Amino acid sequence: MTIAPTQSPSVKAPGHGESTPLREAVERLLRAAEAEVVRSESEAFARHLMPGARVAWRGAAEPRSSGHAVVELGTDPQTERVLELHTAEAGLPDSAELIDWLGRLASIRLRQLAETANLYEAISRLALAERLQRALYAIAEQAGAEHNMKDMMSALHGIVGSLMYAENFFIVLFDAQNRTVRFPYFVDSLDPDIPDPEGIRPIDAIENSLTWHVLQGGKSLMGASTELEKNLPGPRVSIGPPSDDWLGVPMKRGDDVVGALVVQSYRDDTRYTQNDRELLTYVAQHVQTALERRQAHEELERRVTTRTAALREANRVLRQQVLQRQRGERLQAALFRIAELANTSDSIENFYAAVHRVIGGLLYARNFYIALLSEDQNKLTFPYSVDELDGSREPRELGRGLTEFVLRNGKALLADREEIDRLNRDQVLSTSGARSLHWLGVPLIWNEKSMGVLAVQSYSPEHTYSARDQELLTFVSYHIANALQRKYTTESLKQAYASLERRVTERTRALALANRDLREQIAERERVERRLKYETLHDSLTGLPNRTLLLQRLEQALNHYRENPADLFAVLFIDLDRFKVINDSVGHLVGDDLLFQVGGRVRACLKTRDVVARLGGDEFAVLVEGITDPQAATHIAERIIAQLQTPFRLGAKEIFTSASIGIALPTPEYTRPEELLRDADSAMYRAKDEGRHRAAVFDDRLRREALSLLELEGDLRRALTRNEFVPFYQPIVDLEDNRVVGYEALLRWRHPERGLLPPGDFLSVAEDTGCSEAIDWQIFEQVARQVRALTRDEGFVSINVSGSHFRSPDLDQRLLDLFAEHGVPARCVRVEVTERALLENPAQVKRILENLRDHGVGIALDDFGTGYSSLSYLHQYPIETLKIDRSFVIELPSEDTDTDAHSTAVVRAIQALANSLRMQVIAEGIETESQMRALRRIGCRFGQGFLFAQPQPASKWLAAPLSLDA
C-alpha cells in the first residue's frame, strides 16, 4: 500500500531538470521495504535540498541532540528509534516546508513497515501454532494407535521433525527410584554406538554427560556440546561425537524428572533458537503423557492377557473339578446304595446281585465274582460269580491263584496278561481256568483281617483297568466289606436277640425279688439318713444342736432382722469357768456329766423357740429371739449365771461351777451369722477379763479393739516382710567411772504410720499370732552384723531370748552358726533369759544354755527377783550375770532417808548372793543420781538406765566415746 501527501508544499517549483531526482527519491522512499531504506532515501532527499545534510537513527534511551541544526523526521514503532536530520546550516528558512513534508512521508512509511511486520509476525505465529496443534494431535493419536512402541517412537520423531530440525533425535527414560535409564528410541547420523532400546543401565554409566545433567538438574540445555561441557560442573564427559548445536529438555511428572527429549545438529548452518527450546519443552510434556498412556495401555493389555490365561486355567481346573465331583457323586450314590442294600435286602443272594449292579455303574464289571474264606479259613468259597467263560466257581482249597495272592497280601492287585504270565513264570502264582487280559482284585477286610476278595476281569482288549479303577474299587470294597459284615452278623444277632429275650425274662423275675429287697433297704437307709442328719446337726454328748444347726438358725434370724429391724434377737456365748480344773481333777466322765447337766439347766432358762447349742468343749451358745430391747438379753444371761451357781450333784460328788457370758446383738453391719458368733465370743473374753462369773455385751469399743487387733496382726506380718523391726541399744556402764562395758539390744518397730513403737505396744499380739520368733530372728540377724562395730572387740551386746525359742532343740546351733557367719566372737554376746523360760522345759533349756556357755557366750538371768527367785536356778544353770529388776531400783531410798529400806535389803541380799557365787550384777532402770549412789554403797558395780542414756540405734553409738558422763 502506497500513501502520498495530498498537497505538496507551497514552494517555488524547480525546473524540470531539478524536480526529477526529488520525485524519484520520494517514489523510492514510498517503496522502501525496510526502515534502513527509509533512512537512506530520506537522506538522499535531504541532500538534494542541502548538500551537507545527514539523516541518522537515535536510540530511544539516548539523549536528544541539541542545536538548531537537528530536525526529528519520525519514529520507528518497531524499535522506537528516532530518525533525525542533521544540517550544517543554523536554520532552514527556504526548505523548511519540504523538510517537514519529508518528515511526514518518512513517519507514514515507518508506520506502514511496522504494521506490515506485525502482520507477518502474526501470520508466522498462527502458522507455528497450527503446526504445533497438529503435532500435539498427532502425539495424542499415537497414544491410542494400534502399532507397537517402536513404531510409535518413530512417529514421534517425525512429529518433532515437523516442528524443528530433528535429524538426530533420541528419547531417554529415567527411573529415579532405581536410579536407572533406558533409551527406547535413538537415531543419530554420526554416532555408531546405538543403545539397546530394551537395555536398562545405571544412571552412573552416563554420569556428567549432557543427558545426565538434564535428568539430574531438571532443566533444559542448549548450545554447542563442547561449550556446554566446559560450562557445566564436574569433569568433562563426552558421549558420542561432538555436535555443533545440542538441545535437550526434561520430561516431568509433576516435579519429578522421568526422562528427556534430545535433538542435535552436526551442521554449522543449522542452529536451534530459544523458540525451538520452548517449543520442544512444551512438546516434551505431551510426549511424556503419550508415553505414559501408551505404557499404561500396554500394561493393561498384558494384564488382560495374563488374566485371560489365568481364567482359562481356572476354567480348565473347574471343569476337572466338575468331572471329579460328578464321579464323586456317582461314587457317593453307590456307597449309599450299598449301605441301603445291607439293611433292605431280603437275602444274601439278592444283596450280591445288587452290589454287582452298583459296581457295574462305576466301571466295567461284566465278569465279576466275590470270594470268601470259609469259617475254618481253609477253603475259598464263591457265593457270587458272573463270568463270560467260567460258568460257575466251586469252593476249593487255598492255592496259589490270583484270588489267594490278594487274600494273602491284603493288598489290591492290578495285572494284565503279561504280568500274570510273569508271576506264573516266577512261580508266585499258579493260575487255572480261563485266562483274562486284565484282572483287578481287592481284598474284603473286616476286623483288620482279609476275609475275602472282590474281583473283576476283562477278556477283551477294549476294556482295560487303570490305577484309578483300582483306587475306586478299593474304596468301594471297604463299604462292601462293612455291609457284608453287617449282613453276616444279622443272623447271629437274631439268635442273640432270642437268647437275650429268654435271659431278660429270667432276669425280670430275679429283679422283682431284688426290688423287694431293695425297697426294704431304701426304707432302712432313709431311717439311717434321718439319724445321720440328726447327728450331723446335734451334739452327741448333750443332744443339743451343734454349731451347724445354730448357724442355720442364726442366718434365718439375721435375714428376718434385715426385713424387719424391730424384731430383735441376741446371741449368748457361754463358757464355763475353770472347767479344765474340774476335768483334770475328777476325770472326763464326770466332766461329760457336768456338761450334760449344764445344757439342761441352760435349756430350762429359755423359751421353747430359743436355741441352745453346744459348740465344743465347755462352750455353749444361745439364740434368743423375740426380745424387745438389749436389756432383756442381759436378764436372760444373768438368769443362766444364777442357775449355774447351784451345785451339781455328780454321783457322790458335789461340783460347783460358774459361767462367763458374752452377748452380741444384731446391727445392719452384720452380713453373716459367723460374725455375730465371733463378736459374742469376744464379749465373753471381756467378761472373763473383768473377773468371770458375769455377762458382757459386745459394743463399739470391743469392735474397735477387735479391728485394731486385726489391723495390728496384718501390720506385724507386713512389717516382717519389709524388715521394719530394728534393734535399739542401751549402754551398760561401770557405775564407778561411767565407762561403757556393753549394750543391751532392745526391740523397736519403725511403723510407717505410727512411728517408733516399743515392744509393749505389740509384743503380746506377736506372741499370740506366732510372729514373735520371726521378729526376734530379724533382730538377732541385725545385731550379729553390728556387734563388732559396737563393742570394738572389747565389750559385749546382750540379746533377749524368750521362752518360746527354747522349744526348738537346735536354738543353740542356729545362734552359733549366725555368730560364725558374721565373724562375731562368742565372748562379745550375752543371752538374757527370764525365770519363766527356765521353767517350761528345764532339761532342754539347760542343755542349750550349757552348749552356748561352752562356746563362750555369756548367760544372764533377766528381771531377777520378780519371779520365783529360786536359788536352784543359780547353781543348776550356767548363769554368770544377774540383772536386778527396775522395780527394786526405783524404790531405793535417797541418802538422807531411811524409807523403803525393804528394797535396799533385797538389792543388798541379791548383791551378796551374787558375790558369794562369783556372779556379776547389773541394775536396771537407774534414773536418778541418788539411785546410782545407793547402788554404789550396796556394792553393785554395773547398771543401765535413762540416767546414762536412752536406747538409740547403732549409728548413734558407733561414734560415741566409751565413757558416759552421768
Side-chain angles (χ1 to χ4, degrees):
M1 180 176 63
T2 302
I3 300 175
T6 57
Q7 185 179 358
S8 61
S10 59
V11 294
K12 183 179 178 181
H16 178 74
E18 296 178 355
S19 62
T20 301
L22 285 176
R23 186 171 55 252
E24 293 176 353
V26 171
E27 291 178 356
R28 288 196 303 271
L29 175 63
L30 295 177
R31 292 195 303 270
E34 294 180 356
E36 185 60 28
V37 177
V38 173
R39 185 200 66 79
S40 61
E41 294 300 330
S42 297
E43 187 177 54
F45 186 94
R47 283 182 179 179
H48 184 75
L49 298 177
M50 294 172 288
R54 181 174 58 86
V55 178
W57 293 106
R58 177 173 59 83
E62 295 178 4
R64 183 174 180 180
S65 301
S66 61
H68 300 287
V70 178
V71 177
E72 290 186 1
L73 299 179
T75 302
D76 184 4
Q78 288 182 300
T79 61
E80 296 184 356
R81 292 180 300 174
V82 178
L83 188 65
E84 291 181 340
L85 171 64
H86 298 266
T87 65
E89 301 176 3
L92 303 172
D94 297 332
S95 58
E97 293 183 4
L98 290 173
I99 294 302
D100 184 58
W101 182 58
L102 175 63
R104 289 197 300 273
L105 290 176
S107 295
I108 291 171
R109 189 55 186 168
L110 287 174
R111 285 197 299 272
Q112 291 175 348
L113 291 176
E115 291 175 358
T116 303
N118 290 335
L119 182 60
Y120 283 144
E121 184 178 356
I123 293 172
S124 298
R125 286 199 301 268
L126 182 60
L128 180 61
E130 185 179 357
R131 292 207 323 272
L132 178 61
Q133 188 69 28
R134 286 198 299 270
L136 295 181
Y137 281 138
I139 291 172
E141 288 177 357
Q142 291 301 317
E146 296 297 332
H147 48 68
N148 55 28
M149 184 64 76
K150 182 178 179 180
D151 294 339
M152 176 185 173
M153 294 290 185
S154 180
L156 291 176
H157 184 189
I159 294 170
V160 173
S162 68
L163 300 175
M164 65 185 69
Y165 175 74
E167 181 182 1
N168 306 291
F169 172 77
F170 67 85
I171 299 174
V172 59
L173 299 180
F174 175 46
D175 186 351
Q177 183 176 1
N178 297 319
R179 303 285 299 169
T180 58
V181 293
R182 182 169 66 91
F183 293 85
Y185 186 79
F186 194 97
V187 175
D188 195 285
S189 59
L190 297 182
D191 192 352
D193 186 13
I194 305 299
D196 182 11
E198 300 298 329
I200 297 175
R201 64 176 74 178
I203 192 173
D204 295 339
I206 61 171
E207 186 175 4
N208 288 321
S209 65
L210 296 179
T211 306
W212 183 85
H213 280 288
V214 172
L215 295 176
Q216 293 298 306
K219 296 181 179 179
S220 61
L221 293 176
M222 184 176 71
S225 60
T226 55
E227 295 298 326
L228 290 175
E229 290 168 358
K230 290 179 183 179
N231 297 328
L232 290 173
R236 292 183 60 182
V237 176
S238 297
I239 299 177
S243 57
D244 292 307
D245 203 5
W246 193 95
L247 173 59
V249 297
M251 294 190 297
K252 293 185 177 181
R253 183 188 302 114
D255 294 332
D256 299 329
V257 178
V258 297
L261 296 183
V262 177
V263 292
Q264 50 189 338
S265 170
Y266 299 112
R267 295 163 54 179
D268 183 56
D269 58 345
T270 303
R271 303 283 181 167
Y272 297 109
T273 64
Q274 183 64 27
N275 188 31
D276 295 332
R277 185 177 191 170
E278 295 175 357
L279 183 62
L280 189 61
T281 301
Y282 184 69
V283 170
Q285 297 308 117
H286 291 270
V287 171
Q288 162 63 15
T289 303
L291 288 176
E292 288 188 349
R293 290 176 57 191
R294 184 64 182 180
Q295 290 173 350
H297 181 70
E298 290 185 349
E299 176 65 18
L300 179 62
E301 289 182 347
R302 186 188 61 78
R303 292 175 61 185
V304 168
T305 303
T306 304
R307 183 60 177 168
T308 302
L311 289 175
R312 188 180 297 110
E313 177 63 20
N315 189 27
R316 184 187 63 80
V317 173
L318 183 61
R319 287 198 301 270
Q320 291 181 351
Q321 291 177 351
V322 169
L323 293 175
Q324 292 177 358
R325 181 161 186 174
Q326 290 174 350
R327 288 194 294 267
E329 289 177 353
R330 291 199 303 271
L331 177 60
Q332 189 68 31
L335 298 180
F336 284 144
R337 180 59 179 160
I338 292 171
E340 182 182 9
L341 291 172
N343 297 322
T344 59
S345 298
D346 52 354
S347 65
I348 193 67
E349 291 77 11
N350 293 336
F351 173 74
Y352 290 145
V355 167
H356 184 191
R357 290 192 297 271
V358 170
I359 293 177
L362 299 175
L363 49 83
Y364 178 75
R366 185 172 182 180
N367 305 290
F368 170 81
Y369 67 86
I370 297 175
L372 299 176
L373 281 174
S374 60
E375 293 183 0
D376 58 4
Q377 298 189 356
N378 293 325
K379 290 185 178 181
L380 197 63
T381 63
F382 299 90
Y384 184 82
S385 176
V386 174
D387 197 275
E388 298 176 271
L389 302 180
D390 287 339
S392 62
R393 286 184 171 87
E394 298 297 331
R396 67 168 187 256
E397 298 290 334
L398 293 176
R400 291 191 300 166
L402 289 169
T403 305
E404 287 86 342
F405 181 83
V406 173
L407 197 61
R408 285 194 308 270
N409 294 330
K411 297 180 180 179
L413 174 62
L414 174 61
D416 55 10
R417 175 67 63 81
E418 294 180 359
E419 179 68 14
I420 295 172
D421 292 342
R422 185 187 64 79
L423 292 174
N424 281 315
R425 288 194 304 271
D426 295 342
Q427 297 184 354
V428 176
L429 298 177
S430 178
T431 59
S432 60
R435 300 178 62 192
S436 57
L437 292 178
H438 289 87
W439 191 89
L440 172 60
V442 295
L444 296 174
I445 299 175
W446 62 78
N447 295 330
E448 299 182 356
K449 291 182 180 180
S450 297
M451 305 300 294
V453 174
L454 191 71
V456 292
Q457 53 188 335
S458 170
Y459 299 107
S460 171
E462 298 177 359
H463 302 287
T464 60
Y465 300 107
S466 63
R468 183 181 169 279
D469 296 328
Q470 175 183 331
E471 180 182 357
L472 178 63
L473 191 61
T474 301
F475 183 69
V476 172
S477 68
Y478 296 147
H479 296 268
I480 293 176
N482 291 334
L484 283 173
Q485 184 180 8
R486 290 196 300 271
K487 202 68 178 177
Y488 271 101
T489 55
T490 301
E491 293 299 327
S492 59
L493 286 175
K494 290 181 180 179
Q495 296 176 1
Y497 286 151
S499 176
L500 182 60
E501 289 179 356
R502 291 193 301 271
R503 292 174 60 189
V504 166
T505 302
E506 295 173 356
R507 186 61 176 168
T508 301
R509 289 195 296 268
L511 286 175
L513 298 175
N515 192 25
R516 183 190 62 188
D517 296 338
L518 183 59
R519 283 196 297 269
E520 295 176 355
Q521 293 175 6
I522 290 174
E524 180 63 24
R525 182 169 182 174
E526 290 175 348
R527 287 192 296 271
V528 172
E529 286 180 353
R530 287 194 297 270
R531 179 62 184 172
L532 288 175
K533 185 176 180 180
Y534 178 83
E535 293 178 354
T536 301
L537 299 175
H538 291 77
D539 178 53
S540 59
L541 175 63
T542 61
L544 297 174
N546 59 11
R547 180 186 294 269
T548 303
L549 182 56
L550 174 67
L551 291 176
Q552 291 177 3
R553 290 292 304 274
L554 264 177
E555 187 171 9
Q556 295 174 5
L558 191 60
N559 292 334
H560 186 65
Y561 170 77
R562 292 195 194 100
E563 296 174 358
N564 188 6
D567 293 343
L568 290 177
F569 66 92
V571 178
L572 280 61
F573 197 101
I574 305 171
D575 185 84
L576 299 183
D577 299 329
R578 301 176 65 252
F579 176 74
K580 185 177 184 303
V581 176
I582 297 174
N583 226 13
D584 294 341
S585 58
V586 299
H588 291 283
L589 292 177
V590 177
D592 291 345
D593 194 9
L594 174 63
L595 293 175
F596 181 81
Q597 294 193 27
V598 166
R601 290 192 183 184
V602 173
R603 174 73 265 176
C605 297
L606 304 172
K607 299 177 183 178
T608 305
R609 62 181 295 187
D610 298 334
V611 179
V612 180
R614 180 179 177 232
L615 304 180
D618 60 336
E619 294 179 342
F620 295 84
V622 176
L623 171 61
V624 181
E625 296 185 272
I627 61 175
T628 56
D629 53 36
Q631 195 64 31
T634 305
H635 291 327
I636 294 173
E638 292 174 350
R639 188 162 63 246
I640 293 174
I641 292 173
Q643 187 65 243
L644 295 179
Q645 275 187 303
T646 306
F648 291 87
R649 175 64 63 180
L650 303 175
K653 295 184 179 295
E654 190 176 49
I655 303 298
F656 292 88
T657 188
S658 61
S660 299
I661 302 177
I663 304 171
L665 299 169
T667 61
E669 288 80 11
Y670 289 109
T671 59
R672 296 186 302 161
E674 292 86 351
E675 297 172 352
L676 278 163
L677 202 60
R678 177 201 63 200
D679 291 347
D681 188 15
S682 299
M684 182 272 294
Y685 278 106
R686 177 181 175 185
K688 282 186 177 292
D689 293 341
E690 292 177 352
R692 302 183 181 181
H693 188 58
R694 66 191 66 231
V697 180
F698 186 83
D699 54 13
D700 290 338
R701 184 175 68 83
L702 278 178
R703 181 178 286 105
R704 287 194 299 272
E705 290 177 358
L707 292 175
S708 177
L709 180 62
L710 182 62
E711 183 178 357
L712 184 58
E713 290 179 6
D715 289 348
L716 280 171
R717 300 189 186 278
R718 286 188 290 272
L720 274 173
T721 61
R722 295 195 291 252
N723 295 320
E724 294 177 356
F725 299 101
V726 294
F728 271 45
Y729 298 94
Q730 187 175 39
I732 300 172
V733 302
D734 190 329
L735 299 181
E736 295 297 331
D737 55 6
N738 291 341
R739 180 174 54 86
V740 176
V741 297
Y743 297 91
E744 180 181 1
L746 301 173
L747 171 64
R748 293 294 186 271
W749 180 8
R750 292 189 186 276
H751 196 283
E753 297 176 357
R754 299 169 59 186
L756 194 66
L757 300 181
D761 292 351
F762 61 86
L763 196 56
S764 60
V765 178
E767 292 175 350
D768 293 340
T769 57
C771 297
S772 60
E773 292 185 40
I775 295 173
D776 287 345
W777 279 108
Q778 279 194 4
I779 298 300
F780 296 163
E781 180 74 26
Q782 297 180 61
V783 170
R785 291 198 299 266
Q786 300 168 355
V787 163
R788 299 194 66 179
L790 283 170
T791 63
R792 304 167 191 175
D793 293 338
E794 295 180 2
F796 64 88
V797 174
S798 297
I799 57 175
N800 292 279
V801 181
S802 64
S804 60
H805 286 284
F806 288 95
R807 297 171 189 154
S808 301
D810 61 342
L811 171 64
D812 50 346
Q813 192 58 47
R814 290 182 64 188
L815 287 173
L816 293 173
D817 291 344
L818 179 63
F819 300 152
E821 178 184 352
H822 295 279
V824 178
R827 68 177 184 278
C828 295
V829 181
R830 286 189 182 179
V831 173
E832 294 189 11
V833 297
T834 61
E835 296 180 40
R836 180 180 176 185
L838 303 177
L839 290 173
E840 293 184 358
N841 192 353
Q844 183 164 299
V845 173
K846 181 179 179 181
R847 179 188 60 77
I848 293 173
L849 293 180
E850 286 179 346
N851 188 31
L852 292 173
R853 189 70 187 91
D854 291 342
H855 284 81
V857 179
I859 308 299
L861 184 61
D862 196 14
D863 300 336
F864 186 74
T866 60
Y868 294 96
S869 302
S870 174
L871 297 180
S872 63
Y873 301 154
L874 304 182
H875 69 84
Q876 182 179 358
Y877 296 97
I879 299 172
E880 62 177 0
T881 302
L882 297 179
K883 299 194 73 173
I884 301 175
D885 188 69
R886 67 186 306 273
S887 61
F888 298 108
V889 175
I890 291 175
E891 295 179 358
L892 287 175
S894 60
E895 298 176 1
D896 54 354
T897 180
D898 293 334
T899 59
D900 295 328
H902 178 72
S903 296
T904 305
V906 172
V907 174
R908 183 177 289 110
I910 295 174
Q911 182 65 47
L913 177 63
N915 291 339
S916 63
L917 295 176
R918 297 181 181 180
M919 294 182 180
Q920 191 181 75
V921 175
I922 300 174
E924 297 180 311
I926 304 174
E927 298 182 356
T928 64
E929 291 281 352
S930 61
Q931 293 171 358
M932 182 182 68
R933 289 192 291 271
L935 289 169
R936 286 177 180 173
R937 291 195 302 273
I938 293 173
C940 181
R941 184 176 176 182
F942 303 101
Q944 65 185 94
F946 289 171
L947 176 64
F948 306 105
Q950 294 188 359
Q952 298 288 344
S955 59
K956 172 69 176 178
W957 303 115
L958 291 178
L962 296 178
S963 177
L964 298 177
D965 186 4

